[in-house]
Amino acid sequence: MAAIKAKPFAFPAKTDELALIVIDMQRDFAEPGGFGASLGNDVSRITKIVPDVKRLIEGFRGAGLPVIHTMECHKPDLSDLPPAKRDRGNPVLRIGDEGPMGRILISGEPGTAILSELAPVDGEIVIEKPGKGAFYATELGDVLKERGIKQLVFAGVTTEVCVQTTMREANDRGYECLLAEEATESYFPEFKAAAIAMIRAQGGIVGWTARIDDILEGIARV
Ligand code: C5J
């Protein structure tokens, strides 16, 4: 075991139980013409964290620790897209519509892909998820159980939506969760700050948060 410097207190990392989960670093959330942009968001906030996410992924790969990637997306026939999700808000393009990068958030479309700089390598797990949380209607829980993973370091977007939802799902299922502060982002800086504060409040009610350097230093010792 190696303690990673974290808030609200050190994270007790265990070599054989730890994995990195990178949430939804997809073109649809990071590039003009995608889902995030269609909702009126400034997607450049997301591309700015790519070097930090990459550094974290490479640290886990270098330490021989598992890296899991998630992608928010739906079946081409939209059978896993409830109208309550498709019809929400007033986007220029809705999920399933044809956009400049193919159909928005549909499995296999170019815009749904993970950003090339962060693409999974052979052997890494990729979870396609129809919800905001990565446990809902996916194989994630089984995959973690099979591999004996009980601790998750989180990166990805957006902090207060898919990252925080998945952290809460994981926390309720008994996983120890640590959020890498510079490797996550929101379209709204105040929401990122609030999510980080919420996660580690009340003695780490949802989990821990830590700087990437401290995580990398910690996993080098596990
Ligand atoms: C959103 C996500 N924000 N990955 N998805 O719709 O956070």
Side-chain angles (χ1 to χ4, degrees), residues 24 29 35 72 132 157-158 161-162:
D24 301 358
F29 294 112
F35 185 57
E72 183 173 346
K132 303 303 180 194
V157 297
T158 59
V161 185
C162 291

Side-chain angles (χ1 to χ4, degrees), residues 61-108:
R61 285 178 184 152
L65 294 171
V67 179
I68 300 163
H69 306 257
T70 72
M71 301 166 73
E72 183 173 346
C73 61
H74 295 271
K75 294 179 181 160
D77 66 3
L78 307 185
S79 57
D80 59 358
L81 175 62
K85 182 174 181 186
R86 177 169 156 86
D87 298 341
R88 191 79 52 82
N90 191 22
V92 180
L93 291 167
R94 289 182 191 280
I95 297 172
D97 288 350
E98 194 67 50
M101 297 191 286
R103 291 180 71 200
I104 297 282
L105 287 186
I106 297 299
S107 181

